[in-house]
Amino acid sequence: MPGPEFCPRPRRIRRGAALTLVFASVLATAAATDGLPRDDEKTPRPLAARAAAATVDRDDVARAAAEAMADGKSGTKAAEDVVSRSGDRWGAVYDKSEYEEFEQALDGEYTGVGLGARRAADGRVEVARVQPGGPADKAGIRAGDRLRTVGGIDVDKRPVTEVVALLRGGNRTSVVLGLERAGRRWSETLLRTTLTTEAVTVRNLADGAVMIKVASFTKGSGMQVRNAVRAAPAGAGVLLDLRGNAGGLVAEAVTAASAFLDGGLVATYDIRGEQRALYAAAGGNTERPVVALVDGGTMSAAELVTGALQDRGRAITVGSRTFGKGSVQMPSRLPDGSVAELTVGHYRTPAGHSVDGRGITPDLVAGKGAEKRAQTVLSGLGGGS
C-alpha cells in the first residue's frame, strides 16, 4: 500500500523508476555521510562496473542535457530521453523543484492533503488512511471512503501510484476530491499544505509484545526504532512491521537494524566497482524475540533491514516475498539544475544474497492473516506475556 503523497508527478510514472515511490532510489553511500555524494565527484567508473550496472554513464546524460540547452531545448527532457533508452530500470531524472520535494520528503515532510490511497477488493480506489490534523482529516474524510475523482480526473482505472501523485501539488494550492461513503456522493475542496510524516509508530499488543511499524526510512526514523526497542517492557518481544515500506535513507535503515544487533555486518554493496560494507552499531538488544512482517511493498532500504535480521538469525520473517529492489543509485546534478539518478551498483545481504530482481522470501510465507500469524510466532518465541 503506498504511503502518503511521496511519489513523483504523473508524467514520471510511465517509467519503471516510479515504482520506487521516491524513497527506493536513495543511494547506499548515504550510510557513511547521512547525505548525498558530491556532484563534482569525477572518479572514473571501471568498465566491469558499468557493465554490471547496465546503465548509461552520467557524463552521457550531462552531455545530452548541455547540448539540448545549447539548442534552446529542455535539458531535463533530453536527459530523460537518454535515461529512458538506457535500460536502467531505476534511473530517473527530476527537475529542480521535484528534487527539492524529494529531499523534503527525506526530511520527513511532504506537501499534500494528508491521505493515502489503496485499491479496494472491488477494484475501486479508497482512502487507506487519514493523517490526523491534515486537510483531509479536518474535512471529515475517513479511511474507507471511496475516492472517485482528484481534480476532476476519474481515478478508478488509474494506478494507485498515479492517484497518489495527483494529490500532490504546491503548498497552499487547492484540489477538489470526489468522494463516496455508503452510497452518498460529495465533493471536498482541500488546500494542500506541508505535513510531517509519521515514519515510525508504536503500539502495545494484547499479549504484552510491542509492534513497531516503520512506514519509511526518513531522517530520524532509525533512532526512533532504537528508542522504541529500549523503551519496550523487559522481556517483551518486538513485531517489526515493514510492510509497504518503500525504503529511504540507508543510514537510517542501518541504525534501525542496529537496534537488534550488537555490531557486525548489515550488508555489502559495490559502487563504481569498489566493494564496501555497512556495519551495525554496537549495543543493540540481542535478547528480545523479534518477528519481521514483510510483503511485496517492502523495498530497498527496508529489504536491507530484513536481509540483515534474517541472515544473522536475529528475526523470524513472516509474510510474502519482498519487492526486490537492491540497486544503488548515484545522483548527479545536471547543467539546468535538474538531477539524474543512475544505477551504479547493487547490495547484498550478510550471507551474500542478491536482492535486486529477486526479493527476500520470508521464513514463513503468509498472505491474509499474516499479522496474526506473526503474533503467534512471536508468542511462541516467548515474546508475549
Side-chain angles (χ1 to χ4, degrees), residues 212-304:
I212 303 175
K213 167 69 176 177
V214 188
S216 57
F217 286 108
T218 55
K219 289 183 180 178
S221 59
M223 187 53 67
Q224 290 182 56
V225 173
R226 295 203 70 169
N227 290 339
V229 173
R230 290 168 178 164
V238 172
L239 184 59
L240 182 64
D241 189 354
L242 298 175
R243 292 174 298 178
N245 184 323
L249 290 168
V250 172
E252 299 297 337
V254 172
T255 300
S258 298
F260 308 100
L261 302 168
D262 186 15
L265 189 64
V266 172
T268 59
Y269 65 100
D270 62 274
I271 183 167
R272 291 181 173 153
E274 181 182 346
Q275 298 300 310
R276 305 184 186 183
L278 302 170
Y279 294 96
N285 188 301
T286 59
E287 301 298 325
R288 292 186 189 279
V290 182
V291 171
L293 260 174
V294 298
D295 65 6
T298 303
M299 303 169 63
S300 194
E303 291 177 288
L304 184 150

Side-chain angles (χ1 to χ4, degrees), residues 3-291:
E5 302 98 324
F6 288 152
C7 62
R9 298 184 190 280
R11 65 190 179 90
R12 298 278 190 262
I13 289 171
R14 60 186 173 83
R15 295 212 308 272
L19 293 172
T20 66
L21 303 184
V22 170
F23 285 131
S25 59
V26 179
L27 81 163
T29 49
T33 62
D34 199 24
L36 300 175
R38 290 168 39 183
D39 292 327
D40 61 354
E41 186 179 28
K42 296 297 183 182
T43 306
R45 193 165 56 158
L47 291 177
R50 293 178 61 177
T55 71
V56 65
D57 185 86
R58 63 179 180 174
D59 290 339
D60 296 336
V61 178
R63 188 179 304 111
E67 290 175 353
M69 293 174 64
D71 291 338
K73 300 177 182 179
S74 169
T76 301
K77 178 63 168 57
E80 284 182 336
D81 290 343
V82 173
V83 173
S84 66
R85 293 195 303 267
S86 71
D88 186 347
R89 183 184 182 192
W90 304 110
V93 178
Y94 301 94
D95 65 31
K96 185 177 180 180
S97 63
E98 287 173 331
Y99 203 73
E100 287 174 351
E101 292 176 1
F102 173 90
E103 292 182 309
Q104 182 186 49
L106 292 176
D107 284 332
E109 295 183 340
Y110 70 102
T111 301
V113 298
L115 62 80
R118 66 187 173 206
R119 184 74 59 186
D122 61 5
R124 298 186 295 184
V125 177
E126 67 180 21
V127 175
R129 75 174 190 89
V130 178
Q131 183 163 334
D137 182 41
K138 293 177 180 178
I141 298 173
R142 305 174 192 167
D145 287 344
R146 179 188 173 193
L147 188 59
R148 300 175 55 249
T149 61
V150 177
I153 298 174
D154 189 337
V155 300
D156 269 351
K157 295 184 179 180
R158 293 178 178 267
V160 173
T161 49
E162 186 168 345
V163 176
V164 174
L166 289 170
L167 295 167
R168 288 290 299 275
N171 192 29
R172 310 302 295 174
T173 60
S174 62
V175 61
V176 180
L177 305 185
L179 299 147
E180 182 177 338
R181 180 192 303 159
R184 180 177 73 89
R185 296 185 176 186
W186 81 102
S187 296
E188 291 284 354
T189 300
L190 304 180
L191 198 63
R192 298 182 179 98
T193 188
T194 299
L195 299 167
T196 301
T197 63
E198 294 180 287
V200 180
T201 54
V202 183
R203 66 183 174 93
N204 297 321
L205 302 178
D207 61 359
V210 174
M211 183 172 185
I212 303 175
K213 167 69 176 177
V214 188
S216 57
F217 286 108
T218 55
K219 289 183 180 178
S221 59
M223 187 53 67
Q224 290 182 56
V225 173
R226 295 203 70 169
N227 290 339
V229 173
R230 290 168 178 164
V238 172
L239 184 59
L240 182 64
D241 189 354
L242 298 175
R243 292 174 298 178
N245 184 323
L249 290 168
V250 172
E252 299 297 337
V254 172
T255 300
S258 298
F260 308 100
L261 302 168
D262 186 15
L265 189 64
V266 172
T268 59
Y269 65 100
D270 62 274
I271 183 167
R272 291 181 173 153
E274 181 182 346
Q275 298 300 310
R276 305 184 186 183
L278 302 170
Y279 294 96
N285 188 301
T286 59
E287 301 298 325
R288 292 186 189 279
V290 182
V291 171

